[in-house]
């Protein structure tokens, strides 16, 4: 797939994996629409990428969990005369803790961003791609999508939805010229787990953002429905299919329980933190 001259929308583009996609795609000559809540960070990123690569960068400052958020994003692109050729649904966050202790409004916000906003944005831009006979949708899932995830129950379930949704759309659209890929990384060195409040939920060594982004773009270019960046992650889908689900859930739960039971001194307090001291963060 040639990204030169394509207009790519990236959500959660102010940091982490989203910022990595912005850097890589601008270097490939793509014009970008960066969506996130952080106006100052987005504007700084846009100025830097314009200067470095000579591409068009549009900024849409929007909280995707707000009522009417996706309609506002779509209106912004229409008013600017932009055709979104590819969509990278990266915005998302995790909460950690026993589900019954997590505030209901935090659970609802997590589902709204990790699931509903992703579906709504896909609904907004996929029809145009199909009509034009070309395009790409990249959905950031997680290695957690392949098994139940006790103590991060909503996050794991949300990413399982993203994985299944992406695979279904790939099958529907693979002959329509639209590529759909779910990216399922393991730990990524974005500060994600640090802000969640513990490194104990990490299984395996964290990968650099650039590594994950390059593997993801390669998968899109090859029209692969799923990619698990890093050879150490390739076994997870296989093991999750072969072993009984109750065993997988029990083993995963044991590996994550320490994160919930860790002393409060080891946790990282931040604004908007969850019950038991586990904050939420974007990819």
């Amino acid at each position: 797939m040639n990204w030169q001259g394509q207009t790519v929308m990236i959500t959660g583009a102010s940091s982490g994996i989203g910022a990595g996609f912005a850097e890589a795609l601008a270097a490939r000559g793509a014009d970008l629409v960066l969506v996130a809540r952080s106006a100052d960070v987005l504007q700084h990123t846009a100025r830097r990428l314009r200067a470095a690569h000579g591409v068009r960068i549009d900024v849409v400052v929007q909280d995707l969990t707000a009522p009417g958020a996706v309609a506002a994003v779509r209106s912004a692109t229409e008013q600017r005369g932009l055709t979104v050729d590819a969509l990278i649904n990266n915005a998302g966050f995790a909460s950690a803790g026993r589900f019954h202790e997590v505030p209901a409004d935090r659970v609802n916000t997590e589902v709204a961003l990790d699931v509903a906003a992703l579906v709504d944005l896909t609904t907004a831009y996929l029809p145009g791609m199909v009509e034009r006979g070309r395009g790409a949708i990249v959905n950031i899932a997680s290695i957690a999508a392949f098994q139940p995830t006790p103590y991060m129950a909503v996050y794991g379930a949300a990413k399982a939805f993203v994985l299944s949704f992406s695979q279904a759309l790939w099958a529907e659209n693979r002959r329509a010229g639209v590529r759909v890929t779910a990216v399922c990384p393991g730990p990524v060195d974005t500060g994600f787990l640090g802000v969640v409040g513990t490194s104990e939920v990490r299984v395996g060594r964290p990968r650099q953002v650039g590594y994950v982004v390059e593997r993801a773009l390669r998968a899109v270019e090859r029209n692969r429905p799923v990619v698990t960046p890093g050879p150490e992650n390739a076994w997870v889908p296989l093991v999750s299919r072969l072993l009984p689900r109750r065993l997988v859930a029990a083993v995963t739960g044991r590996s994550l329980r320490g994160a919930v039971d860790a002393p409060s001194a080891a946790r990282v307090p931040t604004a908007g933190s969850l019950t038991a001291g586990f904050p939420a963060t974007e990819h």
Side-chain angles (χ1 to χ4, degrees), residues 45 73 91 94 104 109 112 115 126 154 180 182 186 201 233 256 274:
T45 299
V73 171
T109 301
V115 176
L126 177 58
V154 175
V180 182
V201 300
N233 294 318
L256 297 180
L274 299 175

Side-chain angles (χ1 to χ4, degrees), residues 97-98 101 151 200 253 256-264 267 276 278:
R98 292 173 172 83
E101 296 176 344
Y151 308 109
E200 294 187 48
L256 297 180
R257 190 181 302 130
V260 174
D261 295 335
S264 59
R267 298 173 186 149
F278 290 97

Side-chain angles (χ1 to χ4, degrees), residues 64 70-71 74 87 89 112 115-125 165:
L64 291 174
V70 171
R74 183 171 184 176
L87 169 64
N89 283 308
V115 176
L118 179 147
V119 172
D120 289 348
L121 283 162
T122 303
T123 301
Y125 293 107
F165 180 64

Side-chain angles (χ1 to χ4, degrees), residues 238-252:
L238 177 62
V239 170
S240 297
R241 285 196 302 268
L242 294 177
L243 294 180
R245 296 286 281 180
R246 60 185 293 178
L247 176 60
V248 173
V251 171
T252 304

Side-chain angles (χ1 to χ4, degrees), residues 87-233:
L87 169 64
I88 298 177
N89 283 308
N90 167 73
F93 73 88
S95 55
R98 292 173 172 83
F99 177 76
H100 69 277
E101 296 176 344
V102 180
D105 59 347
R106 180 59 65 181
V107 170
N108 292 336
T109 301
E110 190 171 354
V111 174
L113 184 59
D114 293 7
V115 176
L118 179 147
V119 172
D120 289 348
L121 283 162
T122 303
T123 301
Y125 293 107
L126 177 58
M129 297 179 195
V130 173
E131 183 178 348
R132 292 186 295 272
R134 58 180 175 82
I137 294 176
V138 180
N139 293 326
I140 306 304
S142 167
I143 205 71
F146 295 100
Q147 68 273 315
T149 313
Y151 308 109
M152 296 181 75
V154 175
Y155 182 75
K159 295 308 181 182
F161 174 91
V162 171
L163 174 60
S164 178
F165 180 64
S166 302
Q167 290 172 307
L169 293 187
W170 174 85
E172 290 181 13
N173 295 285
R174 63 195 181 99
R175 292 186 176 88
V178 180
R179 305 161 191 248
V180 182
T181 298
V183 183
C184 300
V188 184
D189 191 12
T190 63
F192 182 90
L193 292 176
V195 180
V196 168
T198 179
S199 62
E200 294 187 48
V201 300
R202 185 173 64 209
V203 179
R205 68 185 181 91
R207 289 286 183 175
Q208 295 299 308
V209 167
Y211 177 89
V212 173
V213 168
E214 289 301 322
R215 294 307 184 277
L217 293 177
R218 183 184 303 175
V220 175
E221 290 157 5
R222 295 177 178 178
N223 199 19
R224 292 176 56 190
V226 181
V227 59
T228 54
E232 70 279 6
N233 294 318

